[in-house]
Amino acid sequence: MKRKAERDKDNETTESQPKAKKRKYDEAYLALGFTVTTVGEEERPVQELVLDNCRSSEGKIEGITEEFSNLELLSLINVGLTSVADIPKLDKLKKLELSDNRISGGLEVLAERLVNLTHLNLSGNKFKDISTLEPLKKLPQLKSLDLFNCEVTNLGDYRDSIFTLLPQLTYLDGYDADDCEASDSDGEADAVDDEGESEEFWEEEEDDDEDVVAEEDDDDSGDDEEGGVNGEVDSEEDDDDEEDDEEDDEDSSPVKGQKRKRDQEEEEEDDE
């Protein structure tokens, strides 16, 4: 009995682990003002998380933990942030939207925890000096940086200083070092890749559906051919039966004639 109770307890613990993990996800959403609705039991990793206009508590990031390790896009526009110190380590994150907040520094944590970041939007924040952006030098993959509507953009040598400070940059505020505007494909490369994968997935699904329909059509045509063959066979059998009946009639007709002849002879003998 004791062993059985221990096994049952282990089973309950194993079954509760997915639920506990889901509860952590739900708490993260709830902490940022989202209403959580469960759809099905299967959980898929979250790759994009948009929490724009959800007010933060005390200007800090809350509820987003390393459980969101598959995130590739995180958007926290106009949530009242004053610090990014609590952002977790997200190795797969490529695009971070932090515009229209009140952040003025502390970007060292981004270089430490978001090592593969390629797009960073800090427009509409409180950056005043070029020096506050120096930590971004440690983001080797950083391709696009937005500082529009930040005080730092009022400096006379702002653009030249930023491109000198961050040589890995291709675009600053949507323009490259030669003042050429970023194309949609460059500015939203990740989104294009995701759309391409989605299109390929749906094309494969459509091809599979077409194959299924084609197989069903082949089956139907096969049934029709079989029906036609069976119909021909049945008609041939009917013809054979009719011919047999005719032969039987022909064979039986002389016999009947002979019988009538014998009957007449017998009647004549009786009359005599």
Side-chain angles (χ1 to χ4, degrees):
M1 291 293 292
K2 184 177 180 180
R3 290 182 180 178
K4 185 177 184 301
E6 289 176 353
R7 285 199 302 271
D8 293 340
K9 185 177 180 180
D10 292 339
N11 291 335
E12 290 177 1
T13 302
T14 302
E15 292 174 357
S16 64
Q17 286 176 353
K19 294 181 180 179
K21 185 176 180 181
K22 181 180 182 302
R23 190 159 51 249
K24 289 181 179 180
Y25 281 105
D26 292 350
E27 288 172 357
Y29 282 102
L30 291 170
L32 290 153
F34 271 66
T35 301
V36 177
T37 303
T38 301
V39 181
E41 295 296 330
E42 183 179 357
E43 292 181 1
R44 290 183 291 180
V46 179
Q47 293 182 316
E48 296 186 2
L49 185 58
V50 178
L51 301 171
D52 300 345
N53 303 312
C54 297
R55 306 308 295 176
S56 63
S57 175
E58 298 180 356
K60 298 179 181 179
I61 296 174
E62 292 184 349
I64 301 175
T65 68
E66 292 184 5
E67 294 288 339
F68 290 87
S69 58
N70 289 288
L71 273 186
E72 295 182 8
L73 182 152
L74 175 60
S75 185
L76 298 169
I77 297 173
N78 190 33
V79 298
L81 290 179
T82 58
S83 170
V84 292
D86 294 322
I87 196 166
K89 185 176 178 61
L90 300 171
D91 290 338
K92 295 183 180 181
L93 193 71
K94 295 180 179 180
K95 190 169 184 178
L96 179 60
E97 295 279 350
L98 294 173
S99 60
D100 298 328
N101 286 289
R102 292 177 286 133
I103 304 167
S104 58
L107 299 182
E108 295 84 2
V109 68
L110 301 185
E112 295 171 3
R113 301 176 187 175
L114 309 178
V115 294
N116 290 306
L117 197 65
T118 60
H119 293 71
L120 177 60
N121 190 343
L122 295 171
S123 60
N125 279 280
K126 304 296 182 180
F127 296 97
K128 297 180 180 180
D129 302 318
I130 298 291
S131 59
T132 58
L133 302 171
E134 285 188 8
L136 301 181
K137 292 191 295 185
K138 297 180 180 179
L139 287 171
Q141 306 299 324
L142 190 63
K143 179 180 178 181
S144 176
L145 174 65
D146 280 300
L147 293 166
F148 183 72
N149 273 348
C150 293
E151 290 186 39
V152 69
T153 61
N154 295 325
L155 298 176
D157 57 350
Y158 157 68
R159 290 185 61 81
D160 291 339
S161 299
I162 295 294
F163 277 115
T164 301
L165 177 68
L166 306 173
Q168 75 273 34
L169 271 190
T170 302
Y171 299 105
L172 175 62
D173 301 332
Y175 291 83
D176 65 13
D178 297 324
D179 288 334
C180 294
E181 188 174 4
S183 64
D184 291 339
S185 59
D186 290 330
E188 302 293 339
D190 298 333
V192 170
D193 291 340
D194 292 339
E195 289 175 2
E197 291 177 0
S198 299
E199 289 176 0
E200 290 177 2
F201 171 78
W202 289 114
E203 286 176 359
E204 291 176 0
E205 289 291 318
E206 290 175 359
D207 290 341
D208 292 339
D209 293 339
E210 290 175 358
D211 292 340
V212 171
V213 172
E215 290 177 1
E216 291 177 352
D217 291 340
D218 291 340
D219 292 339
D220 293 339
S221 61
D223 293 339
D224 293 340
E225 290 177 0
E226 290 179 1
V229 171
N230 291 335
E232 292 176 0
V233 172
D234 292 340
S235 61
E236 290 178 359
E237 290 178 353
D238 293 339
D239 293 340
D240 292 339
D241 292 340
E242 291 177 359
E243 291 176 359
D244 292 338
D245 292 340
E246 291 176 356
E247 290 176 358
D248 291 339
D249 292 340
E250 291 175 357
D251 293 339
S252 62
S253 57
V255 174
K256 292 179 180 178
Q258 292 177 3
K259 184 178 180 183
R260 284 195 294 271
K261 184 177 180 181
R262 283 199 299 271
D263 292 340
Q264 291 176 357
E265 291 177 352
E266 289 176 359
E267 288 177 357
E268 289 175 358
E269 290 177 357
D270 293 337
D271 293 338
E272 292 176 356

mmCIF file of all heavy atoms in Angstrom, residues 159-195:
data_model
loop_
_atom_site.group_PDB
_atom_site.id
_atom_site.type_symbol
_atom_site.label_atom_id
_atom_site.label_comp_id
_atom_site.label_asym_id
_atom_site.label_seq_id
_atom_site.Cartn_x
_atom_site.Cartn_y
_atom_site.Cartn_z
ATOM 1 N N ARG A 159 24.536 62.003 -35.899
ATOM 2 C CA ARG A 159 24.565 60.823 -36.765
ATOM 3 C C ARG A 159 25.998 60.313 -36.964
ATOM 4 O O ARG A 159 26.248 59.103 -36.850
ATOM 5 C CB ARG A 159 23.909 61.122 -38.112
ATOM 6 C CG ARG A 159 22.401 61.303 -38.032
ATOM 7 C CD ARG A 159 21.775 61.485 -39.404
ATOM 8 N NE ARG A 159 21.993 60.324 -40.250
ATOM 9 C CZ ARG A 159 21.259 59.192 -40.201
ATOM 10 N NH1 ARG A 159 20.265 59.087 -39.350
ATOM 11 N NH2 ARG A 159 21.522 58.189 -41.017
ATOM 12 N N ASP A 160 26.907 61.209 -37.242
ATOM 13 C CA ASP A 160 28.300 60.784 -37.430
ATOM 14 C C ASP A 160 28.851 60.146 -36.159
ATOM 15 O O ASP A 160 29.568 59.135 -36.218
ATOM 16 C CB ASP A 160 29.165 61.984 -37.813
ATOM 17 C CG ASP A 160 28.848 62.500 -39.212
ATOM 18 O OD1 ASP A 160 28.281 61.711 -40.014
ATOM 19 O OD2 ASP A 160 29.147 63.680 -39.494
ATOM 20 N N SER A 161 28.485 60.698 -35.022
ATOM 21 C CA SER A 161 28.974 60.170 -33.742
ATOM 22 C C SER A 161 28.447 58.756 -33.479
ATOM 23 O O SER A 161 29.178 57.876 -33.005
ATOM 24 C CB SER A 161 28.576 61.102 -32.597
ATOM 25 O OG SER A 161 29.140 62.376 -32.755
ATOM 26 N N ILE A 162 27.172 58.547 -33.788
ATOM 27 C CA ILE A 162 26.577 57.230 -33.543
ATOM 28 C C ILE A 162 27.180 56.181 -34.477
ATOM 29 O O ILE A 162 27.528 55.072 -34.041
ATOM 30 C CB ILE A 162 25.040 57.275 -33.713
ATOM 31 C CG1 ILE A 162 24.411 58.172 -32.647
ATOM 32 C CG2 ILE A 162 24.450 55.871 -33.649
ATOM 33 C CD1 ILE A 162 24.553 57.654 -31.235
ATOM 34 N N PHE A 163 27.339 56.506 -35.758
ATOM 35 C CA PHE A 163 27.916 55.536 -36.686
ATOM 36 C C PHE A 163 29.383 55.250 -36.359
ATOM 37 O O PHE A 163 29.880 54.143 -36.605
ATOM 38 C CB PHE A 163 27.781 56.038 -38.131
ATOM 39 C CG PHE A 163 26.445 55.757 -38.746
ATOM 40 C CD1 PHE A 163 25.588 56.796 -39.094
ATOM 41 C CD2 PHE A 163 26.021 54.450 -38.973
ATOM 42 C CE1 PHE A 163 24.350 56.536 -39.663
ATOM 43 C CE2 PHE A 163 24.783 54.177 -39.539
ATOM 44 C CZ PHE A 163 23.943 55.225 -39.885
ATOM 45 N N THR A 164 30.077 56.230 -35.806
ATOM 46 C CA THR A 164 31.463 56.009 -35.372
ATOM 47 C C THR A 164 31.505 55.140 -34.120
ATOM 48 O O THR A 164 32.348 54.243 -33.993
ATOM 49 C CB THR A 164 32.145 57.362 -35.083
ATOM 50 O OG1 THR A 164 32.122 58.167 -36.262
ATOM 51 C CG2 THR A 164 33.592 57.147 -34.651
ATOM 52 N N LEU A 165 30.575 55.410 -33.207
ATOM 53 C CA LEU A 165 30.513 54.647 -31.957
ATOM 54 C C LEU A 165 30.084 53.203 -32.197
ATOM 55 O O LEU A 165 30.599 52.277 -31.550
ATOM 56 C CB LEU A 165 29.524 55.328 -30.998
ATOM 57 C CG LEU A 165 29.280 54.626 -29.658
ATOM 58 C CD1 LEU A 165 30.541 54.676 -28.797
ATOM 59 C CD2 LEU A 165 28.108 55.269 -28.926
ATOM 60 N N LEU A 166 29.148 53.012 -33.129
ATOM 61 C CA LEU A 166 28.573 51.676 -33.387
ATOM 62 C C LEU A 166 28.799 51.299 -34.858
ATOM 63 O O LEU A 166 27.881 51.379 -35.684
ATOM 64 C CB LEU A 166 27.074 51.684 -33.073
ATOM 65 C CG LEU A 166 26.669 52.174 -31.668
ATOM 66 C CD1 LEU A 166 25.160 52.288 -31.563
ATOM 67 C CD2 LEU A 166 27.223 51.249 -30.595
ATOM 68 N N PRO A 167 30.003 50.878 -35.208
ATOM 69 C CA PRO A 167 30.312 50.587 -36.613
ATOM 70 C C PRO A 167 29.523 49.409 -37.180
ATOM 71 O O PRO A 167 29.424 49.271 -38.405
ATOM 72 C CB PRO A 167 31.821 50.274 -36.575
ATOM 73 C CG PRO A 167 32.095 49.861 -35.166
ATOM 74 C CD PRO A 167 31.162 50.652 -34.323
ATOM 75 N N GLN A 168 28.950 48.579 -36.321
ATOM 76 C CA GLN A 168 28.161 47.438 -36.804
ATOM 77 C C GLN A 168 26.796 47.863 -37.339
ATOM 78 O O GLN A 168 26.106 47.093 -38.012
ATOM 79 C CB GLN A 168 27.983 46.390 -35.690
ATOM 80 C CG GLN A 168 26.978 46.741 -34.585
ATOM 81 C CD GLN A 168 27.594 47.539 -33.447
ATOM 82 O OE1 GLN A 168 28.479 48.351 -33.658
ATOM 83 N NE2 GLN A 168 27.112 47.283 -32.224
ATOM 84 N N LEU A 169 26.387 49.105 -37.018
ATOM 85 C CA LEU A 169 25.075 49.605 -37.444
ATOM 86 C C LEU A 169 25.004 49.775 -38.960
ATOM 87 O O LEU A 169 25.946 50.234 -39.595
ATOM 88 C CB LEU A 169 24.767 50.952 -36.809
ATOM 89 C CG LEU A 169 24.064 51.013 -35.453
ATOM 90 C CD1 LEU A 169 23.667 52.451 -35.162
ATOM 91 C CD2 LEU A 169 22.857 50.096 -35.387
ATOM 92 N N THR A 170 23.837 49.403 -39.516
ATOM 93 C CA THR A 170 23.539 49.693 -40.920
ATOM 94 C C THR A 170 22.576 50.860 -41.027
ATOM 95 O O THR A 170 22.719 51.705 -41.920
ATOM 96 C CB THR A 170 22.920 48.461 -41.601
ATOM 97 O OG1 THR A 170 23.822 47.355 -41.482
ATOM 98 C CG2 THR A 170 22.659 48.720 -43.081
ATOM 99 N N TYR A 171 21.605 50.919 -40.104
ATOM 100 C CA TYR A 171 20.584 51.976 -40.161
ATOM 101 C C TYR A 171 20.439 52.665 -38.810
ATOM 102 O O TYR A 171 20.400 52.002 -37.757
ATOM 103 C CB TYR A 171 19.227 51.401 -40.579
ATOM 104 C CG TYR A 171 19.246 50.769 -41.943
ATOM 105 C CD1 TYR A 171 19.237 49.389 -42.091
ATOM 106 C CD2 TYR A 171 19.286 51.566 -43.090
ATOM 107 C CE1 TYR A 171 19.268 48.810 -43.351
ATOM 108 C CE2 TYR A 171 19.319 50.986 -44.348
ATOM 109 C CZ TYR A 171 19.311 49.613 -44.474
ATOM 110 O OH TYR A 171 19.348 49.046 -45.719
ATOM 111 N N LEU A 172 20.352 53.980 -38.861
ATOM 112 C CA LEU A 172 20.066 54.802 -37.690
ATOM 113 C C LEU A 172 18.841 55.649 -38.000
ATOM 114 O O LEU A 172 18.837 56.414 -38.976
ATOM 115 C CB LEU A 172 21.271 55.700 -37.363
ATOM 116 C CG LEU A 172 21.069 56.710 -36.228
ATOM 117 C CD1 LEU A 172 20.770 56.004 -34.907
ATOM 118 C CD2 LEU A 172 22.306 57.609 -36.085
ATOM 119 N N ASP A 173 17.804 55.477 -37.212
ATOM 120 C CA ASP A 173 16.531 56.175 -37.442
ATOM 121 C C ASP A 173 15.998 55.945 -38.857
ATOM 122 O O ASP A 173 15.409 56.835 -39.483
ATOM 123 C CB ASP A 173 16.693 57.674 -37.192
ATOM 124 C CG ASP A 173 17.151 57.980 -35.774
ATOM 125 O OD1 ASP A 173 16.844 57.184 -34.874
ATOM 126 O OD2 ASP A 173 17.842 59.003 -35.583
ATOM 127 N N GLY A 174 16.225 54.752 -39.368
ATOM 128 C CA GLY A 174 15.665 54.373 -40.664
ATOM 129 C C GLY A 174 16.507 54.743 -41.866
ATOM 130 O O GLY A 174 16.082 54.508 -43.009
ATOM 131 N N TYR A 175 17.713 55.315 -41.660
ATOM 132 C CA TYR A 175 18.580 55.718 -42.770
ATOM 133 C C TYR A 175 20.001 55.208 -42.526
ATOM 134 O O TYR A 175 20.449 55.145 -41.364
ATOM 135 C CB TYR A 175 18.599 57.240 -42.929
ATOM 136 C CG TYR A 175 17.288 57.813 -43.408
ATOM 137 C CD1 TYR A 175 16.257 58.077 -42.510
ATOM 138 C CD2 TYR A 175 17.072 58.074 -44.756
ATOM 139 C CE1 TYR A 175 15.041 58.598 -42.943
ATOM 140 C CE2 TYR A 175 15.867 58.600 -45.206
ATOM 141 C CZ TYR A 175 14.857 58.855 -44.292
ATOM 142 O OH TYR A 175 13.645 59.368 -44.734
ATOM 143 N N ASP A 176 20.696 54.867 -43.604
ATOM 144 C CA ASP A 176 22.074 54.422 -43.453
ATOM 145 C C ASP A 176 23.020 55.624 -43.378
ATOM 146 O O ASP A 176 22.579 56.780 -43.363
ATOM 147 C CB ASP A 176 22.464 53.466 -44.578
ATOM 148 C CG ASP A 176 22.465 54.119 -45.951
ATOM 149 O OD1 ASP A 176 22.408 55.361 -46.025
ATOM 150 O OD2 ASP A 176 22.516 53.370 -46.955
ATOM 151 N N ALA A 177 24.321 55.374 -43.349
ATOM 152 C CA ALA A 177 25.302 56.446 -43.195
ATOM 153 C C ALA A 177 25.308 57.400 -44.384
ATOM 154 O O ALA A 177 25.755 58.552 -44.254
ATOM 155 C CB ALA A 177 26.691 55.846 -43.001
ATOM 156 N N ASP A 178 24.814 56.950 -45.530
ATOM 157 C CA ASP A 178 24.740 57.802 -46.722
ATOM 158 C C ASP A 178 23.366 58.436 -46.891
ATOM 159 O O ASP A 178 23.030 58.924 -47.978
ATOM 160 C CB ASP A 178 25.074 56.972 -47.968
ATOM 161 C CG ASP A 178 26.501 56.443 -47.932
ATOM 162 O OD1 ASP A 178 27.383 57.175 -47.431
ATOM 163 O OD2 ASP A 178 26.730 55.300 -48.378
ATOM 164 N N ASP A 179 22.565 58.401 -45.833
ATOM 165 C CA ASP A 179 21.206 58.973 -45.836
ATOM 166 C C ASP A 179 20.264 58.293 -46.827
ATOM 167 O O ASP A 179 19.319 58.912 -47.327
ATOM 168 C CB ASP A 179 21.254 60.485 -46.143
ATOM 169 C CG ASP A 179 21.818 61.286 -44.976
ATOM 170 O OD1 ASP A 179 21.695 60.803 -43.833
ATOM 171 O OD2 ASP A 179 22.384 62.363 -45.214
ATOM 172 N N CYS A 180 20.524 57.017 -47.077
ATOM 173 C CA CYS A 180 19.603 56.221 -47.904
ATOM 174 C C CYS A 180 18.621 55.513 -46.977
ATOM 175 O O CYS A 180 19.028 54.856 -46.007
ATOM 176 C CB CYS A 180 20.377 55.205 -48.744
ATOM 177 S SG CYS A 180 21.442 55.963 -49.983
ATOM 178 N N GLU A 181 17.345 55.648 -47.300
ATOM 179 C CA GLU A 181 16.310 55.078 -46.435
ATOM 180 C C GLU A 181 16.307 53.556 -46.500
ATOM 181 O O GLU A 181 16.528 52.962 -47.556
ATOM 182 C CB GLU A 181 14.935 55.609 -46.843
ATOM 183 C CG GLU A 181 13.818 55.213 -45.879
ATOM 184 C CD GLU A 181 12.498 55.871 -46.227
ATOM 185 O OE1 GLU A 181 12.444 56.581 -47.263
ATOM 186 O OE2 GLU A 181 11.530 55.684 -45.472
ATOM 187 N N ALA A 182 16.065 52.946 -45.357
ATOM 188 C CA ALA A 182 15.987 51.483 -45.299
ATOM 189 C C ALA A 182 14.766 50.996 -46.053
ATOM 190 O O ALA A 182 13.678 51.574 -45.951
ATOM 191 C CB ALA A 182 15.924 51.021 -43.842
ATOM 192 N N SER A 183 14.958 49.952 -46.831
ATOM 193 C CA SER A 183 13.826 49.348 -47.519
ATOM 194 C C SER A 183 13.035 48.500 -46.540
ATOM 195 O O SER A 183 13.518 48.152 -45.458
ATOM 196 C CB SER A 183 14.306 48.491 -48.689
ATOM 197 O OG SER A 183 15.088 47.402 -48.219
ATOM 198 N N ASP A 184 11.816 48.163 -46.924
ATOM 199 C CA ASP A 184 10.986 47.325 -46.052
ATOM 200 C C ASP A 184 11.653 45.983 -45.797
ATOM 201 O O ASP A 184 11.577 45.436 -44.703
ATOM 202 C CB ASP A 184 9.614 47.114 -46.683
ATOM 203 C CG ASP A 184 8.802 48.398 -46.706
ATOM 204 O OD1 ASP A 184 9.115 49.298 -45.906
ATOM 205 O OD2 ASP A 184 7.878 48.499 -47.537
ATOM 206 N N SER A 185 12.307 45.447 -46.828
ATOM 207 C CA SER A 185 12.933 44.132 -46.682
ATOM 208 C C SER A 185 14.091 44.186 -45.694
ATOM 209 O O SER A 185 14.333 43.253 -44.937
ATOM 210 C CB SER A 185 13.448 43.631 -48.035
ATOM 211 O OG SER A 185 14.385 44.541 -48.581
ATOM 212 N N ASP A 186 14.835 45.342 -45.643
ATOM 213 C CA ASP A 186 15.938 45.474 -44.700
ATOM 214 C C ASP A 186 15.435 45.772 -43.297
ATOM 215 O O ASP A 186 15.892 45.192 -42.320
ATOM 216 C CB ASP A 186 16.874 46.611 -45.136
ATOM 217 C CG ASP A 186 17.646 46.261 -46.395
ATOM 218 O OD1 ASP A 186 17.911 45.070 -46.590
ATOM 219 O OD2 ASP A 186 17.957 47.170 -47.179
ATOM 220 N N GLY A 187 14.461 46.646 -43.198
ATOM 221 C CA GLY A 187 13.973 47.056 -41.889
ATOM 222 C C GLY A 187 13.174 45.990 -41.189
ATOM 223 O O GLY A 187 13.127 45.931 -39.968
ATOM 224 N N GLU A 188 12.521 45.113 -41.979
ATOM 225 C CA GLU A 188 11.668 44.079 -41.397
ATOM 226 C C GLU A 188 12.092 42.712 -41.906
ATOM 227 O O GLU A 188 11.279 41.889 -42.286
ATOM 228 C CB GLU A 188 10.190 44.328 -41.749
ATOM 229 C CG GLU A 188 9.680 45.680 -41.297
ATOM 230 C CD GLU A 188 9.624 45.791 -39.785
ATOM 231 O OE1 GLU A 188 9.593 44.735 -39.134
ATOM 232 O OE2 GLU A 188 9.627 46.907 -39.276
ATOM 233 N N ALA A 189 13.371 42.446 -41.881
ATOM 234 C CA ALA A 189 13.892 41.187 -42.441
ATOM 235 C C ALA A 189 13.328 39.982 -41.714
ATOM 236 O O ALA A 189 12.955 38.984 -42.320
ATOM 237 C CB ALA A 189 15.421 41.175 -42.354
ATOM 238 N N ASP A 190 13.247 40.098 -40.397
ATOM 239 C CA ASP A 190 12.737 38.965 -39.625
ATOM 240 C C ASP A 190 11.296 38.681 -39.954
ATOM 241 O O ASP A 190 10.884 37.521 -40.074
ATOM 242 C CB ASP A 190 12.873 39.246 -38.123
ATOM 243 C CG ASP A 190 14.326 39.413 -37.711
ATOM 244 O OD1 ASP A 190 15.187 38.831 -38.395
ATOM 245 O OD2 ASP A 190 14.596 40.128 -36.722
ATOM 246 N N ALA A 191 10.496 39.748 -40.096
ATOM 247 C CA ALA A 191 9.078 39.557 -40.415
ATOM 248 C C ALA A 191 8.932 38.906 -41.769
ATOM 249 O O ALA A 191 8.076 38.035 -41.967
ATOM 250 C CB ALA A 191 8.347 40.894 -40.383
ATOM 251 N N VAL A 192 9.778 39.305 -42.729
ATOM 252 C CA VAL A 192 9.707 38.713 -44.062
ATOM 253 C C VAL A 192 10.022 37.236 -44.001
ATOM 254 O O VAL A 192 9.372 36.401 -44.637
ATOM 255 C CB VAL A 192 10.689 39.437 -45.014
ATOM 256 C CG1 VAL A 192 10.800 38.694 -46.324
ATOM 257 C CG2 VAL A 192 10.220 40.862 -45.254
ATOM 258 N N ASP A 193 11.057 36.882 -43.209
ATOM 259 C CA ASP A 193 11.417 35.470 -43.081
ATOM 260 C C ASP A 193 10.259 34.675 -42.504
ATOM 261 O O ASP A 193 9.948 33.566 -42.961
ATOM 262 C CB ASP A 193 12.647 35.315 -42.162
ATOM 263 C CG ASP A 193 13.903 35.881 -42.811
ATOM 264 O OD1 ASP A 193 13.903 36.024 -44.048
ATOM 265 O OD2 ASP A 193 14.870 36.177 -42.079
ATOM 266 N N ASP A 194 9.609 35.238 -41.466
ATOM 267 C CA ASP A 194 8.487 34.526 -40.861
ATOM 268 C C ASP A 194 7.347 34.346 -41.848
ATOM 269 O O ASP A 194 6.723 33.283 -41.917
ATOM 270 C CB ASP A 194 7.964 35.304 -39.634
ATOM 271 C CG ASP A 194 8.995 35.304 -38.504
ATOM 272 O OD1 ASP A 194 9.867 34.410 -38.529
ATOM 273 O OD2 ASP A 194 8.935 36.187 -37.639
ATOM 274 N N GLU A 195 7.073 35.415 -42.651
ATOM 275 C CA GLU A 195 5.999 35.312 -43.631
ATOM 276 C C GLU A 195 6.327 34.264 -44.677
ATOM 277 O O GLU A 195 5.469 33.501 -45.123
ATOM 278 C CB GLU A 195 5.783 36.669 -44.300
ATOM 279 C CG GLU A 195 5.151 37.705 -43.375
ATOM 280 C CD GLU A 195 5.070 39.069 -44.039
ATOM 281 O OE1 GLU A 195 5.474 39.154 -45.210
ATOM 282 O OE2 GLU A 195 4.605 40.021 -43.392
#
